[in-house]
Amino acid sequence: MELTKENIQNLRQDYRAAELAEGDIDRNPITQFGKWFKDAIDAKLYEPNVMTLATASLSGKPSSRILLLKGFDENGFVFFTNYNSKKGQDLQENPQAAMQFFWPELERQVRIEGIVSKVTEEVSTAYFHSRPKGSQIGATASPQSTVIPNREILENRVQELTATYQETEVPRPGHWGGYILKPEHLEFWQGRPSRLHDRITYTSVNGVWTINRLAP
């Protein structure tokens, strides 16, 4: 297809897979997320835990990237990264963040907003050592988000670390670990025909979840 302004404007999909009614949702948004997350797993979607994480600097400059969700419960949503990365620097300055999951095959998305804090060192270490050894070495070798002169310097560092820890455990770097986002606001979006989508929100007010429907 030729790439033209008109062709781009006409790219659209009409959503008809399901609906989201107030009577169908759980009063607890974490439970509701768990139901939808299980649906994504049961549908055998490719990496259903893929999400976009949006952060902002102290001055309010936004930044976003794709990450993997590594756990969730009543306390929040967990992910792991290099604390010295761009996202880590943003969260150090401004702990407010947003997550977004999009499952196009189910015509669903979930938006989550809240405050982020670090998980305990014990949780970070346990998860680090549960990863494949190559991933552990990669996390140790990479000065994430910093400028490097070429790829070879990174590959050489990986080779050095692979030799060093060939027979021993890779220690978790102090600059690598987990974060947990404690949700204050969630939106569950179900695509509907003619762009009249269902949007149900949960907002925490003094520890109690208030549920509302938003116009699409």
Side-chain angles (χ1 to χ4, degrees), residues 131-142:
R131 307 175 83 206
K133 199 165 189 177
S135 297
Q136 297 178 38
I137 288 174
T140 304
S142 175

Side-chain angles (χ1 to χ4, degrees), residues 135-151:
S135 297
Q136 297 178 38
I137 288 174
T140 304
S142 175
Q144 192 176 117
S145 299
T146 63
V147 176
I148 56 176
N150 50 58
R151 183 175 177 84

Side-chain angles (χ1 to χ4, degrees), residues 3-206:
L3 190 60
T4 66
K5 179 181 178 181
E6 289 72 22
N7 287 339
I8 294 173
Q9 289 177 342
N10 291 326
L11 288 172
R12 60 174 55 87
Q13 176 68 41
D14 205 25
Y15 301 113
R16 298 179 178 275
E19 63 180 40
L20 181 62
E22 286 81 349
D24 298 330
I25 62 173
D26 196 278
R27 302 299 298 179
N28 184 317
I30 308 303
T31 303
Q32 180 62 36
F33 180 84
K35 290 180 178 180
W36 272 23
F37 192 74
K38 184 177 184 301
D39 287 346
I41 292 174
D42 290 346
K44 302 186 184 305
L45 304 189
Y46 179 73
E47 292 194 310
N49 58 332
V50 165
M51 64 180 186
T52 299
L53 176 73
T55 59
S57 65
L58 186 60
S59 65
K61 185 176 182 180
S63 181
S64 65
R65 72 289 290 163
I66 299 297
L67 291 179
L68 297 176
L69 178 71
K70 288 301 179 179
F72 67 94
D73 58 23
E74 293 296 330
N75 296 313
F77 297 80
V78 176
F79 61 94
F80 294 85
T81 190
N82 187 314
Y83 290 144
N84 296 330
S85 65
K86 177 62 170 66
K87 69 184 87 62
Q89 294 172 25
D90 280 355
L91 292 171
Q92 179 67 30
E93 297 178 358
N94 177 6
Q96 299 180 85
M99 295 176 168
Q100 183 171 18
F101 296 83
F102 181 47
W103 300 305
E105 296 87 347
L106 301 178
E107 300 177 355
R108 290 175 175 174
Q109 65 176 321
V110 181
R111 296 173 53 236
I112 306 170
E113 300 170 2
I115 302 298
V116 177
S117 60
K118 290 180 179 178
V119 302
T120 66
E121 292 195 7
E122 290 77 12
V123 169
S124 290
T125 298
Y127 174 69
F128 183 81
H129 288 133
S130 75
R131 307 175 83 206
K133 199 165 189 177
S135 297
Q136 297 178 38
I137 288 174
T140 304
S142 175
Q144 192 176 117
S145 299
T146 63
V147 176
I148 56 176
N150 50 58
R151 183 175 177 84
E152 285 70 27
I153 192 171
L154 189 62
E155 293 176 341
N156 290 339
R157 181 60 176 155
V158 167
Q159 290 179 2
E160 292 172 3
L161 292 171
T162 299
T164 298
Y165 298 113
Q166 186 173 3
E167 304 296 336
T168 59
E169 183 177 80
V170 181
R172 177 181 68 87
H175 60 263
W176 191 98
Y179 288 102
I180 183 166
L181 183 149
K182 183 175 180 58
E184 297 176 338
H185 180 83
L186 302 90
E187 178 185 321
F188 291 81
W189 179 99
Q190 178 70 60
R192 298 296 303 277
S194 301
R195 296 296 185 263
L196 294 176
H197 310 305
D198 289 324
R199 298 174 63 192
I200 303 294
T201 65
Y202 296 74
T203 302
S204 180
V205 180
N206 297 322

